[in-house]
Amino acid sequence: MKTIVTSVRIERDTDVAHTRRTARLTAKAAGAAVRDQIRFATAVSEIARNALQYAGGGVAEFAFDDDGKVTALVVRVQDKGPGIPNVENILRSRHQSHTGLGLGLSGSRKLVDAFDLTTGAGGTVATLSLFLDAPADPTTLARASADTLVEAAQGNPLEELAEQNRALRDSLAEQEFLLRELHHRTKNNLAIIQSLAMMQARQVKSPEAADALAALTGRIQAFANAHNYLHRAADVSSIDLVQHLSGLVERLTAAFGTDQIEIRSTVEPGSVDFESATEIGLIVNELVTNAVKHAFERGARRGCIEIRGHRSNAGLMIQVSDDGPGLENAETVLRQSRSLGWRIVEGSARKLNATLEADGSDGLTVTLTIPT
């Protein structure tokens, strides 16, 4: 059973804003949570903007539908444009457009609960659905939404804008809380895995197996360090590089002892995103572990490992160096190495689109340059 609420003709930029407002208000009238109102309105406005920009306009129809299993708010955006080429690649996020055509489709698809798209020479029809938590009569929902829209039309536009801003702030605050909780739980799960690996390491008799498990726990901690920082940080979208690498230095110092090997960190203030922080942490962990194992022969002589970080015109540079005996033809030797640790370093560098340079003339220095 389908009941239409209203329709909006999309002919100007103001109509796109009106479409977004209508989507949010109808979702609110249907009892949708604030975050669901925001995500649905965002998706609808993206499709409406596409219709205006690339098809010269269109019509957005708002309705409630009940198929016997779920009640949904459904918005159908139709235009009479030339259609969208390569639509399957666009929806799989495999398409790069120089004109902007199709951008927003894959993102809108992820924001809604159901998405359907038909396109061709006669135009494009996009159908977006928001599933409602509790079953309800579409006619009742349509009447409530119509009353809400009429009341909003008589109100002050500035009040509506303020209400949207409040709703957006509330949604962002809730998302930040959920992200913080996610990082906290991930950190705890990684700690459990690390503890299990450490317990297993104490039971094995093979020195090689014990070393492998010890290396594994270090790699787990390199990931956990970033999650731990974001759980406590004021900003869950970025990580302070100084604190992140300082935390790694503390852990590595505790792991390898301060009597024989000194590990120092000199890093310029700055922040990086979470994915970059985890890869940087993994790289630094592997390079320091490698220096301890090979440059100082497992603590047979005193030595120093220094971690430096600074920004230049080339990008962010992370450097790990030791004052060991060095390595002749360092880049060639490391490139040909079958070491798991070095393969991890190279793999993480590729993820960062970064370059690696090695100099073994005075100790071993490995420089990671991450483009800005």
Side-chain angles (χ1 to χ4, degrees):
M1 177 181 178
K2 178 181 177 181
T3 304
I4 297 175
V5 180
T6 187
S7 62
V8 176
R9 186 166 293 278
I10 305 165
E11 298 175 337
R12 298 179 294 275
D13 285 336
T14 53
D15 296 331
V16 175
H18 182 44
T19 303
R20 177 188 176 90
R21 178 171 177 252
T22 302
R24 191 187 71 79
L25 289 174
T26 50
K28 180 181 180 182
V34 172
R35 65 177 181 275
D36 295 332
Q37 298 172 30
I38 297 296
R39 68 179 172 89
F40 188 68
T42 300
V44 170
S45 65
E46 280 295 313
I47 300 301
R49 188 175 301 282
N50 266 0
L52 176 64
Q53 189 168 359
Y54 302 109
V59 176
E61 179 190 83
F62 294 78
F64 287 98
D65 193 11
D66 187 349
D67 63 0
K69 297 179 180 179
V70 65
T71 305
L73 168 58
V74 181
V75 178
R76 186 173 180 266
V77 181
Q78 182 174 7
D79 66 56
K80 294 183 179 180
I84 304 173
N86 302 317
V87 68
E88 290 300 325
N89 287 336
I90 290 173
L91 293 176
R92 294 192 187 101
S93 302
R94 295 176 181 172
H95 174 69
Q96 293 184 345
S97 172
H98 299 292
T99 64
L101 177 62
L103 295 179
L105 285 179
S106 60
S108 298
R109 185 186 192 184
K110 295 174 183 176
L111 287 172
V112 298
D113 296 324
F115 184 90
D116 181 70
L117 185 74
T118 58
T119 187
T124 299
V125 178
T127 306
L128 302 85
S129 300
L130 173 67
F131 296 157
L132 304 177
D133 291 336
D137 176 41
T139 302
T140 303
L141 291 173
R143 288 173 181 167
S145 297
D147 291 342
T148 299
L149 292 173
V150 170
E151 183 179 350
Q154 297 172 350
N156 187 335
L158 292 179
E159 292 180 359
E160 166 61 20
L161 180 60
E163 172 63 24
Q164 289 193 46
N165 288 338
R166 281 194 296 271
L168 182 58
R169 285 198 301 271
D170 291 344
S171 178
L172 289 173
E174 183 178 7
Q175 184 176 8
E176 183 174 305
F177 170 78
L178 293 173
L179 280 173
R180 203 180 301 280
E181 183 65 17
L182 174 64
H183 288 302
H184 176 60
R185 295 191 180 191
T186 303
K187 173 184 72 72
N188 289 344
N189 289 338
L190 288 172
I192 292 172
I193 296 171
Q194 185 180 28
S195 297
L196 292 172
M198 292 172 66
M199 290 172 59
Q200 187 66 43
R202 287 194 291 267
Q203 293 180 2
V204 298
K205 297 180 180 180
S206 166
E208 292 80 6
D211 287 346
L213 287 168
L216 174 62
T217 58
R219 289 162 186 152
I220 294 171
Q221 185 60 45
F223 282 108
N225 194 64
H227 287 287
N228 183 49
Y229 179 82
L230 281 183
H231 165 60
R232 296 179 286 106
D235 182 4
V236 295
S237 63
S238 63
I239 292 181
D240 184 283
L241 195 59
V242 175
Q243 294 189 29
H244 179 47
L245 292 181
S246 295
L248 274 176
V249 167
E250 290 179 8
R251 185 195 63 77
L252 291 166
T253 299
F256 298 119
T258 58
D259 293 338
Q260 297 293 328
I261 300 172
E262 180 185 6
I263 305 174
R264 296 197 300 252
S265 176
T266 307
V267 181
E268 291 182 357
S271 61
V272 293
D273 60 84
F274 172 71
E275 290 186 6
S276 297
T278 54
E279 300 300 338
I280 290 171
L282 194 55
I283 289 171
V284 170
N285 177 80
E286 295 300 327
L287 293 176
V288 171
T289 302
N290 186 68
V292 171
K293 289 172 63 176
H294 301 292
F296 307 116
E297 298 179 357
R298 297 181 181 270
R301 57 179 291 267
R302 295 184 62 84
C304 178
I305 300 171
E306 187 159 6
I307 303 163
R308 303 182 188 89
H310 69 277
R311 294 188 183 274
S312 67
N313 292 334
L316 174 62
M317 300 183 71
I318 305 293
Q319 197 172 67
V320 179
S321 59
D322 63 61
D323 59 357
L327 181 64
E328 188 176 354
N329 298 321
E331 288 199 7
T332 302
V333 171
L334 291 173
R335 253 196 327 266
Q336 296 176 351
S337 170
R338 296 184 179 180
S339 161
L340 174 60
W342 185 251
R343 291 205 302 270
I344 289 174
V345 169
E346 289 183 319
S348 294
R350 282 194 296 271
K351 290 180 183 178
L352 295 169
N353 195 28
T355 59
L356 282 170
E357 296 179 6
D359 181 6
S361 59
D362 183 16
L364 179 63
T365 297
V366 177
T367 303
L368 173 80
T369 304
I370 307 169
T372 303

